[in-house]
Amino acid sequence: MKPIQTDRRQLLRLAAATATTLWLPRSAWSRAPALAQDPFALGVASGAPAPDGVVLWTRLVFPEPLAREVTVRWEVAHDEAFTRIARSGVAQAVPALGHAVHAEVQGLESDRWYFYRFWAGEAGSPVGRTRTAPAHGAEVARLRVGYASCQRWEHGYYAAWRHLRADAPDLVVFLGDYIYEYPGAQNAVRSVKGGWVLTLDDYRDRYALHRSDADLRAMHAACPWLLTWDDHEVQNDYAALHEGTGVPVVGTVADFAARRAAAYQAWYEHMPVRASVLTRGLSGLAQGAEMRVHQQWAWGRLATLHLLDGRQYRDRQPCLKDGKPGGTLVDPAQCAEWADTRRTYLGAAQEQWLDQALARSAGRWNVIGQQTLFGTRDARPGPGQRLWNDGWDGYAGARRRLTDALQKHRVSNPVFLGGDVHENWVGHVKADYADADSVTLGVEFCGTSISSRASATAVERTPERLAENPHFVFGDAQYRGYGLADFTPQGLQTTLRAVEDVTRADSAAFTLAAFEVREGRARIERR
């Protein structure tokens, strides 16, 4: 495996330095040498919106590797014509970080839209549109969130992003599996460039492939994003520093920690996140990279968003099939490890952070964005159970600690958003999933994929799974798409949008189902 290009301490210094931007009048901008081709082919993006600023992202690409840093200028304006500049400055795109730019802009007005762009020499980027969050404690009338996950390149086109862009969300919340680390899909709609993703350069190339999709680039440029990851950003079904499944040849990856470090660095290089995600502030890993992905974001008094990381700190899945890594269906009655309530999905430090974050939240709605299905989904009809060990079902003690925290802190209007399963599941969050009569604490909207296929039997088995798991009120495995969640002080309206044909780049979209949750009532009503 190709070693990571810089040591961890140096990486932290570089990220902090390149995120610090200098405000300059236009006349004082330094100029980079002219570049032979468009260096902004991967587009622009923004994220991490605060009341006074955002992160602006781009990554320069060159026809041949460039070993020197490049000065990149940026502008933020009140208007698309850039006649009224709000802020401007410069940032350095350094080779050790793949010439990525994370400009952390401050000094903006709260709760308003802006336009932004970059310059490298005489080359200009596409224009992006972003917005700041409302002021802390502000009364807010509305928040529109688009949520999505799982966009395997080979399985289809990204028409869903074009339709979400037309729906004009304030935020996109992406819940994991931005890339897939392996090739070889059967009946592939489009092929990947390169094969297995193992090294830093491999991961960079796979992200660049995804960003070559015009609909994805346009969605990134349309509004700010909040992001977490799942497994395919590194390796299928990995757990902390335990390998998952999927390598071209057994023994190909001699050092999984190094592979994970490369994957984490590439994720940082391609996401509009703050340099503060590069931290070792949460101890407990003996080796390897660490990223502080879990965060809390306030949207005035209307909503608080808690974004979780269910991969980096988890215990290994219980009762591995034949001792081999990877997720599988398990009969809990035949698995002694399953009953160990000490096992953790988030890690002890993140669990403690989330407990404190829920306790101090002032949001009317508390949105918990995490990777997968939260509620129990029993795959065995009738007596007994078969549960998936890679999801929350495999970490029932950790799930119970979270639902206990919701009750202890009397958290207002909990709403769980998830992905991973490539199916839409809508249901009620229960205090005790083993007791159908236990109190309902909140609601759950686990979304389908942008393009990744569901399992071959998922569609036909959906009715029996709904019957077996009555806390769910809706399920669908047939369609790909996204979710649209509209929050107001009075209620939440969630719309499930589906593309008609994921194998067509120009596919139309339609509303698959729509639901309403009234403020103060943890009950889903079909619209």
Side-chain angles (χ1 to χ4, degrees):
M1 168 179 285
K2 181 178 179 179
I4 197 164
Q5 294 183 354
T6 185
D7 65 47
R8 197 70 188 157
R9 188 172 299 175
Q10 183 184 3
L11 186 63
L12 292 170
R13 289 198 301 267
L14 284 171
T18 55
T20 302
T21 59
L22 174 67
W23 182 86
L24 294 171
R26 186 181 181 93
S27 60
W29 281 347
S30 61
R31 292 188 176 273
L35 299 171
Q37 69 171 38
D38 177 16
F40 297 106
L42 302 186
V44 300
S46 68
D52 65 343
V54 295
V55 174
L56 305 181
W57 173 92
T58 192
R59 180 185 164 222
L60 307 182
V61 290
F62 309 100
E64 299 294 334
L66 187 67
R68 61 175 176 82
E69 64 184 48
V70 177
T71 298
V72 177
R73 312 190 307 267
W74 54 265
E75 294 177 296
V76 178
H78 294 280
D79 64 311
E80 193 170 6
F82 287 82
T83 62
R84 297 174 57 222
I85 303 298
R87 302 293 290 176
S88 60
V90 297
Q92 299 302 314
V94 300
L97 290 174
H99 290 99
V101 174
H102 296 79
E104 299 190 13
V105 181
Q106 297 178 314
L108 301 179
E109 299 173 31
S110 64
D111 198 16
R112 65 157 297 140
W113 288 92
Y114 289 93
F115 297 90
Y116 65 94
R117 63 187 178 187
F118 297 92
W119 295 90
E122 297 301 316
S125 76
V127 173
R129 185 170 180 257
T130 190
R131 64 161 302 157
T132 53
H136 295 300
E139 295 292 345
V140 181
R142 177 181 173 273
L143 167 64
R144 168 166 280 194
V145 173
Y147 63 93
S149 63
C150 304
Q151 48 183 14
R152 188 169 177 181
W153 180 269
E154 295 164 292
H155 282 182
Y157 291 98
Y158 296 164
W161 288 126
R162 184 175 71 256
H163 293 289
L164 177 55
R165 183 173 177 236
D167 287 329
D170 296 296
L171 286 172
V172 167
V173 175
F174 191 81
L175 298 166
D177 292 344
Y178 193 97
I179 63 168
Y180 281 69
E181 80 287 11
Y182 47 65
Q186 293 184 346
N187 302 314
V189 176
R190 48 185 178 173
S191 60
V192 296
K193 299 176 181 178
W196 295 87
V197 176
L198 302 172
T199 69
L200 177 58
D201 285 342
D202 292 341
Y203 283 106
R204 285 172 172 167
D205 288 346
R206 190 57 54 88
Y207 279 103
L209 174 66
H210 283 63
R211 287 290 178 91
S212 71
D213 186 278
D215 289 324
L216 177 57
R217 288 200 313 274
M219 188 68 253
H220 270 296
C223 70
W225 285 42
L226 298 176
L227 305 105
T228 187
W229 53 29
D230 195 16
D231 52 343
H232 290 291
E233 286 86 355
V234 180
Q235 182 189 26
N236 181 54
D237 289 351
Y238 86 96
L241 285 169
H242 300 285
E243 284 193 82
T245 61
V247 290
V249 179
V250 174
T252 299
V253 180
D255 187 345
F256 177 69
R259 180 188 183 185
R260 198 186 79 160
Y264 282 11
Q265 178 174 338
W267 183 87
Y268 172 77
E269 290 174 355
H270 291 85
M271 297 299 132
V273 295
R274 298 184 183 274
S276 58
V277 307
L278 290 163
T279 178
R280 295 204 60 84
L282 296 176
S283 61
L285 294 183
Q287 57 180 322
E290 184 176 27
M291 297 262 174
R292 171 61 183 267
V293 175
H294 60 279
Q295 299 285 341
Q296 183 185 57
W297 304 94
W299 203 260
R301 295 186 63 186
L302 178 62
T304 303
L305 294 91
H306 314 265
L307 207 57
L308 307 185
D309 173 2
R311 281 291 163 188
Q312 188 171 190
Y313 306 109
R314 63 158 68 187
D315 287 324
R316 197 166 190 173
Q317 300 91 339
C319 301
L320 301 175
K321 186 176 182 181
D322 300 325
K324 298 177 181 179
T328 187
L329 287 169
V330 173
D331 179 353
Q334 303 298 318
C335 176
E337 190 181 3
W338 201 278
D340 184 355
T341 59
R342 297 169 299 178
R343 300 180 66 260
T344 180
Y345 185 76
L346 301 175
Q350 188 179 181
E351 282 192 22
Q352 182 180 13
W353 167 84
L354 180 58
D355 184 85
Q356 295 170 350
L358 292 171
R360 66 174 178 263
S361 173
R364 186 184 300 269
W365 297 91
N366 280 273
V367 184
I368 300 173
Q370 45 80 52
Q371 286 74 15
T372 190
L373 200 66
F374 186 73
T376 289
R377 189 174 67 169
D378 179 10
R380 173 179 288 168
Q385 288 183 309
R386 292 182 73 223
L387 303 175
W388 188 249
N389 68 346
D390 188 57
W392 282 98
D393 277 337
Y395 302 81
R399 180 170 57 196
R400 185 59 181 264
R401 288 190 291 275
L402 177 46
T403 56
D404 285 349
L406 296 177
Q407 294 181 90
K408 177 178 66 174
H409 301 306
R410 299 183 179 181
V411 176
S412 174
N413 298 306
V415 178
F416 283 73
L417 301 179
D420 176 55
V421 297
H422 310 169
E423 305 169 26
N424 273 303
W425 286 87
V426 177
H428 295 104
V429 175
K430 307 294 290 185
D432 182 0
Y433 283 97
D435 179 5
D437 295 326
S438 69
V439 63
T440 298
L441 304 176
V443 297
E444 171 178 15
F445 296 93
C446 185
T448 186
S449 59
I450 289 291
S451 61
S452 305
R453 296 169 187 153
S455 68
T457 61
V459 174
E460 64 188 56
R461 297 196 64 185
T462 298
E464 72 177 29
R465 290 187 174 181
L466 281 168
E468 188 67 25
N469 302 277
H471 44 273
F472 290 114
V473 301
F474 178 84
D476 178 85
Q478 183 173 355
Y479 291 103
R480 317 278 69 80
Y482 59 93
L484 201 62
D486 288 292
F487 297 90
T488 69
Q490 295 76 38
L492 162 65
Q493 293 188 348
T494 301
T495 307
L496 308 183
R497 297 279 291 160
V499 294
E500 291 181 354
D501 185 354
V502 74
T503 68
R504 294 179 56 93
D506 61 350
S507 175
F510 66 98
T511 295
L512 178 65
F515 306 90
E516 182 175 8
V517 180
R518 300 178 191 177
E519 195 278 333
R521 295 184 63 191
R523 180 178 178 181
I524 298 170
E525 299 176 0
R526 189 80 178 256
R527 289 196 289 130

